[in-house]
Amino acid sequence: MGIIERIKEIEAEMARTQKNKATEYHLGQLKAKIAKLRTQLLEPPKGSSGAGEGFEVTKFGHGRVALIGFPSVGKSTLLTMLTGTHSEAASYEFTTLTCIPGIINYNDTKIQLLDLPGIIEGASEGKGRGRQVIAVSKSSDLVLMVLDASKSEGHRQILTKELEAVGLRLNKRPPQIYFKKKKTGGISFNSTVPLTHIDEKLCYQILHEYKIHNAEVLIREDATVDDLIDVIEGNRKYMKCVYVYNKIDVVGIDDVDRLSRQPNSIVISCNMKLNLDRLLARMWEEMGLVRVYTKPQGQQPDFTDPVVLSTDRGGCTVEDFCNHIHRSLVKDVKYVLVWGVSARHYPQHCGLSHVLQDEDVVQIVKKKDKEGEGRGRFKSHSNAPARICDREKKAPLKT
């Protein structure tokens, strides 16, 4: 029996099992088995050499956004309108068969937009090119799930289910659970809050399913069984997602109002070119890019080429800013002068731990060379004797 058949068999068993207090331990073990099998499904086959066939493209720019969705929902048209890159669009499905990149120039930054082939139900099991599409989506900073506003809401649920099956968590934060394997000592289970979905016995059974007999578990929130399994697996990716409803020009105004009020959603029309500027602004907000401008000493700030930072790509502190310029710059920094939203007054003397905000201006003040470190005619010390008694006496003047 293959892995996919075993997963379907366990899912069928979970479907016919009643959910109550007596069966929660059995259901927890079944969930752990499914998570293990899905992890095995994503692993490359044993004995394979080299990378498999894919369409990964090189990362470029200050951020990466992936377009995912069902076939013929307008992904290629949206890429062409936002980036100017031609992506073939036709009335039949699966027009796009590979990854087509484009660049969005927005707010002095370059954002890479990827048009991915449409995925279908069962993509997590390898149908179509679903695994490759999902793998590229994991390497992105933001996911735009393009949906057809004229079709049912089931498409959004199907896509979310397929992405969660391969460890992609949309608009969720990592659970507050501390987990660490140990060599000896057994299992130590503690919690700082009352738990309603999981207890010590269920935790032991799930760890036993993973053949873990020595570990330390500390739960800091009312977590579920799925949260504990995600922490044990350790390969989950938590990403931001914006649900983009296209083709709003073919539905009524009541449906447009209902879709636009849903959380993390935005409505557009590629055919009528409606609300595209708001889509770009929403992408900018979700990615959280921070532009920092440099100011040389005694000169005006350079507002042409900013240093772009983000929390997902390293951080937004002064130390991250220095590392972005050069790795050896941090050890030479004495302090920095900051102008902008993050400064309390202009300019503010800040250290390496100061968190920068968008459109801040930074001037780096380096440490001065220590005495005796100069070279040649720039020496900061003299070779003359330090004591008066060691000085050479001049010859007396002739009279």
Side-chain angles (χ1 to χ4, degrees), residues 190-210:
N190 293 289
S191 63
T192 59
V193 295
L195 302 178
T196 59
H197 305 286
I198 193 173
D199 56 8
E200 187 173 358
K201 180 181 177 181
L202 182 55
C203 177
Y204 284 3
Q205 290 184 349
I206 294 175
L207 291 175
H208 180 72
E209 185 67 31
Y210 282 92

Side-chain angles (χ1 to χ4, degrees), residues 356-371:
L356 300 171
Q357 300 292 335
D358 190 28
E359 294 187 324
D360 278 357
V361 177
V362 174
Q363 176 183 332
I364 299 177
V365 180
K366 302 174 73 173
K367 300 176 182 177
K368 294 183 179 179
D369 291 337
K370 296 181 180 179
E371 186 178 357

Side-chain angles (χ1 to χ4, degrees), residues 149-160:
S150 62
K151 296 186 179 179
S152 64
E153 279 292 307
H155 286 186
R156 174 173 170 174
Q157 299 175 0
I158 292 173
L159 289 174
T160 303

Side-chain angles (χ1 to χ4, degrees), residues 292-299 301 318-319 321-322 325 333-352 354-357 359-366:
V292 181
Y293 299 95
T294 58
K295 180 186 180 302
Q297 189 172 4
Q299 301 180 21
V318 173
E319 183 176 1
F321 169 76
C322 296
I325 297 176
V333 174
K334 184 177 182 181
Y335 61 89
V336 297
L337 300 176
V338 179
W339 293 261
V341 179
S342 65
R344 298 180 180 177
H345 49 81
Y346 300 151
Q348 179 180 349
H349 288 62
C350 302
L352 296 176
H354 179 76
V355 180
L356 300 171
Q357 300 292 335
E359 294 187 324
D360 278 357
V361 177
V362 174
Q363 176 183 332
I364 299 177
V365 180
K366 302 174 73 173

Side-chain angles (χ1 to χ4, degrees), residues 3 6 33-45:
I3 296 179
R6 291 167 62 187
K33 290 181 180 179
I34 288 182
K36 286 179 58 180
L37 291 174
R38 284 175 174 166
T39 302
Q40 296 176 11
L41 192 64
L42 295 177
E43 293 176 353

Side-chain angles (χ1 to χ4, degrees), residues 49-333:
S49 59
E53 181 184 358
F55 43 73
E56 175 66 290
V57 295
T58 305
K59 278 192 175 184
F60 179 82
H62 305 108
R64 169 181 274 197
V65 180
L67 295 173
I68 64 172
F70 278 91
S72 298
V73 293
K75 300 188 299 295
S76 300
T77 307
L78 182 60
L79 175 80
T80 303
M81 298 187 67
L82 294 180
T83 66
T85 303
H86 176 68
S87 181
E88 185 179 355
S91 57
Y92 55 88
E93 295 184 349
F94 297 104
T95 310
T96 304
L97 299 177
T98 185
C99 179
I100 300 177
I103 300 299
I104 302 175
N105 294 294
Y106 188 74
N107 286 347
D108 297 332
T109 62
K110 290 179 172 56
I111 301 174
Q112 187 180 42
L113 187 65
L114 302 180
D115 180 18
L116 300 173
I119 61 178
I120 57 177
E121 189 173 2
S124 59
E125 300 173 358
K127 293 183 179 180
R129 306 193 74 178
R131 290 188 192 175
Q132 296 162 320
V133 172
I134 294 171
V136 176
S137 302
K138 281 188 174 183
S139 65
S140 304
D141 302 310
L142 177 67
V143 170
L144 293 184
M145 185 180 292
V146 185
L147 303 167
D148 193 337
S150 62
K151 296 186 179 179
S152 64
E153 279 292 307
H155 286 186
R156 174 173 170 174
Q157 299 175 0
I158 292 173
L159 289 174
T160 303
K161 181 181 178 181
E162 293 295 332
L163 295 178
E164 287 189 349
V166 294
L168 202 60
R169 302 292 181 259
L170 302 180
N171 297 324
K172 293 181 180 180
R173 59 174 180 80
Q176 298 295 318
I177 299 177
Y178 173 77
F179 172 75
K180 182 180 180 181
K181 293 182 181 180
K182 298 187 300 183
K183 294 183 179 180
T184 57
I187 296 175
S188 173
F189 180 85
N190 293 289
S191 63
T192 59
V193 295
L195 302 178
T196 59
H197 305 286
I198 193 173
D199 56 8
E200 187 173 358
K201 180 181 177 181
L202 182 55
C203 177
Y204 284 3
Q205 290 184 349
I206 294 175
L207 291 175
H208 180 72
E209 185 67 31
Y210 282 92
K211 298 181 180 179
I212 299 175
H213 306 289
N214 301 283
E216 184 178 355
V217 180
L218 175 61
I219 302 178
R220 298 188 179 95
E221 64 178 11
D222 190 11
T224 61
V225 177
D226 297 325
D227 295 335
L228 179 61
I229 293 175
D230 288 347
V231 173
I232 296 174
E233 286 284 347
N235 57 357
R236 305 309 191 218
K237 182 72 181 293
Y238 297 86
M239 296 187 61
K240 297 179 180 178
C241 177
V242 177
Y243 303 99
V244 182
Y245 289 92
N246 189 21
K247 304 179 182 179
I248 60 173
D249 53 315
V250 299
V251 298
I253 188 65
D254 295 335
D255 294 333
V256 174
D257 182 69
R258 177 180 57 84
L259 294 175
S260 62
R261 294 181 183 276
Q262 293 183 3
N264 303 312
S265 301
I266 189 169
V267 293
I268 65 168
S269 174
C270 294
N271 186 27
M272 304 291 292
K273 298 182 180 180
L274 297 176
N275 215 24
L276 295 180
D277 53 347
R278 178 56 190 157
L279 174 60
L280 290 174
R282 185 62 181 271
M283 288 170 51
W284 178 265
E285 294 174 5
E286 295 293 338
M287 296 182 71
L289 298 180
V290 175
R291 295 164 294 172
V292 181
Y293 299 95
T294 58
K295 180 186 180 302
Q297 189 172 4
Q299 301 180 21
Q300 294 294 325
D302 182 14
F303 291 109
T304 58
D305 188 15
V307 176
V308 182
L309 307 173
S310 66
T311 306
D312 298 332
R313 291 194 178 191
C316 299
T317 63
V318 173
E319 183 176 1
D320 301 323
F321 169 76
C322 296
N323 290 330
H324 193 280
I325 297 176
H326 199 277
R327 289 290 181 181
S328 62
L329 183 59
V330 174
K331 61 182 181 181
D332 296 330
V333 174

